[in-house]
Amino acid sequence: MPHPSPDMSPEAFRAAGHRVVDWIADYLADPRRYPIQPDRKPGELIDALPSHAPEQGEPIEAILRDFESLIVPASTLWNHPQFYSFFSVSSSGPGILAEALIAALNMNGMLWKSSPAVTELEQVTLNWLREWLGLPESNFGIIHDTASNSTLHAILAARHAAQPAQRAEGAQPGYVLYCSEHAHSSVEKGALALGVGEAYVRKIATDAEFRMKPDALQEAIDADRAAGLHPFCVVATVGTTSMTSVDPVPAIAAICERENLWLHIDAAYGGHAGLVPEYRHYLDGCDRADSFVINPHKWLFTPIDCSVLYTRRPEVFREALAMTPAYLRSNYDPRQVNFMDFRIPLGSRFRALKLWFVMRYFGRDHIVGIIRSHIQMAQHLAAEIASDERFEIAAPTTMSLVCFRLKGSDEANEKLLAAMQASGAGFFSQTVLHGRLVIRWAIGNIHTTEEDLQRSWQVVRSLVP
Ligand code: PLP
């Protein structure tokens, strides 16, 4: 007689698993029947759920019922074709299946020995992606959860390169980091977390198309050197969050090479546009960067979380971070990579599996086709908006984000945005450009079609008197 399983029995797992897969397949077949944004007040879900965990287990049927009746209706559906907010990210069939397998194996890729597959598939998959991106072979890749964490590690390595004594003595003040005024807040946060200090983060001015001005960068570096400070790192962005502008990386790289500064590229979203041959130029100069981050969970149809950090100077990360307590010692083998040596967290999920599933299942041509279609859809939408004299386009449509506004006051735009959210036309976000409120319409979901955009645009138009 086999012992009863302390886990769910295999039979119960199989039955519930089929129900879960059916639910996912139904959801993916027709996500449009769900509202994107929940009609809920803060605290409503908390009030609807018991305050204490059950003493005795409950049937999976009851849990799944509550998932459908309580959790989904309180969810903002990021994986919905009319999710146009922030950056519109997308999971996909192969990525979802891989997530289930990742959980089933439940491996922790601390070091090679803790699972050769986690380590070696990460190496193989990141080499594939590096080739697609056209980054040099010398680049070493590692997967983090978020771009915030990837960038934090890049800044840490940059400062170690400038001040190797930081490992023994702690960080010294006066080390200065530069990014554009439109860089993502994660850059400044990373610097703050590492003790750089707000006073030493310079936000460099941008031009009429929101791109960092190399002259202003050079002037800031010169001024800091004259004041006895130590410039150490420049972060350039390919695809800024507010409006997907692309900093002039070749000119910035030339400054970094002359000044001996670490160049980190934040291509968390925009790097994917560089996979499309017509937009490859967005990645010009990135081969000269010391480090480069791209988030497949943003525009490569990989479920959250998956952020890839490349560096051509992995030895600096290792010098800054490697630490091997006795219980983690392993035999040396030149082919054995221990990713724990290059990052702050010891452990990591098997994220490479989902990226590998996605890249293999779709292949480069199909992925390029989807990204290209998103950019084309954004361009058509921008042209349509521009042809309506009540609206204006607020920034160049470089990728798959359209920034626009009603001609008129910020109050009028705020009212329109609130009406757009309430109308069910989609879920949008906003930013401020040149001191004025701008509505952001981001396209990036694998299921979004021209019809979705047309339907949404007709609703938006009808909301303006
Ligand atoms: N960099 C850019 C350009 C972004 O747009 C974002 C988020 O949207 C981030 C970094 C931070 O991403 P994450 O949530 O992965 O930390």
Side-chain angles (χ1 to χ4, degrees), residues 44-121:
E44 233 181 291
L45 179 62
I46 296 173
D47 293 343
L49 293 170
S51 331
H52 304 287
E55 295 297 327
Q56 305 301 323
E58 298 179 46
I60 195 74
E61 289 73 22
I63 302 171
L64 290 174
R65 228 176 8 252
D66 283 356
F67 169 75
E68 285 192 52
S69 65
L70 296 174
I71 307 298
V72 175
S75 297
T76 300
L77 297 177
W78 282 64
N79 202 27
H80 187 295
Q82 286 164 317
F83 183 99
Y84 308 129
S85 210
F86 314 122
F87 279 127
S88 168
V89 302
S90 182
S91 70
S92 61
I96 295 167
L97 293 174
E99 281 285 15
L101 297 173
I102 292 165
L105 295 176
N106 201 32
M107 293 190 283
N108 191 334
M110 304 184 296
L111 64 168
W112 182 86
K113 191 170 70 169
S114 72
S115 177
V118 174
T119 303
E120 295 190 10
L121 193 69

Side-chain angles (χ1 to χ4, degrees), residues 58-304:
E58 298 179 46
I60 195 74
E61 289 73 22
I63 302 171
L64 290 174
R65 228 176 8 252
D66 283 356
F67 169 75
E68 285 192 52
S69 65
L70 296 174
I71 307 298
V72 175
S75 297
T76 300
L77 297 177
W78 282 64
N79 202 27
H80 187 295
Q82 286 164 317
F83 183 99
Y84 308 129
S85 210
F86 314 122
F87 279 127
S88 168
V89 302
S90 182
S91 70
S92 61
I96 295 167
L97 293 174
E99 281 285 15
L101 297 173
I102 292 165
L105 295 176
N106 201 32
M107 293 190 283
N108 191 334
M110 304 184 296
L111 64 168
W112 182 86
K113 191 170 70 169
S114 72
S115 177
V118 174
T119 303
E120 295 190 10
L121 193 69
E122 188 157 325
Q123 292 176 279
V124 169
T125 310
L126 298 193
N127 261 331
W128 289 4
L129 182 61
R130 181 190 54 69
E131 272 185 5
W132 283 11
L133 290 164
L135 293 176
E137 218 174 300
S138 56
N139 268 251
F140 166 94
I142 182 167
I143 303 185
H144 288 281
D145 52 357
T146 56
S148 303
N149 240 336
S150 293
T151 292
L152 176 94
H153 281 80
I155 299 172
L156 190 154
R159 200 178 48 188
H160 184 88
Q163 187 209 342
Q166 75 170 21
R167 175 155 180 157
E169 295 163 15
Q172 300 294 315
Y175 282 78
V176 189
L177 176 142
Y178 305 81
C179 60
S180 100
E181 56 187 327
H182 295 297
H184 190 264
S185 52
S186 57
V187 176
E188 188 169 5
K189 255 197 194 181
L192 298 192
L194 294 166
V196 170
E198 269 174 349
Y200 300 101
V201 177
R202 304 268 178 269
K203 309 270 179 71
I204 304 300
T206 53
D207 65 14
E209 297 196 353
F210 310 103
R211 300 170 297 201
M212 191 195 290
K213 286 182 177 168
D215 291 355
L217 172 65
Q218 184 68 61
E219 278 167 26
I221 294 168
D222 292 345
D224 284 329
R225 289 214 197 277
L229 298 174
H230 311 289
F232 77 101
C233 181
V234 178
V235 180
T237 310
V238 173
T240 52
T241 312
S242 276
M243 77 304 275
T244 62
S245 60
V246 179
D247 286 335
V249 175
I252 294 170
I255 292 173
C256 290
E257 285 157 7
R258 205 166 50 237
E259 298 283 346
N260 194 24
L261 305 181
W262 185 285
L263 174 59
H264 175 61
I265 307 287
D266 179 355
Y269 172 75
H272 302 89
L275 297 176
V276 181
E278 307 89 280
Y279 302 104
R280 177 66 186 78
H281 59 276
Y282 288 151
L283 295 177
D284 283 354
C286 290
D287 54 333
R288 294 157 71 182
D290 296 284
S291 53
F292 174 99
V293 59
I294 182 166
N295 276 15
H297 79 227
K298 287 207 193 303
W299 207 5
L300 205 62
F301 319 112
T302 306
I304 294 169

Side-chain angles (χ1 to χ4, degrees), residues 12-23:
F13 181 85
R14 196 180 307 280
H18 285 150
R19 278 190 59 180
V20 168
V21 169
D22 282 345
W23 189 91

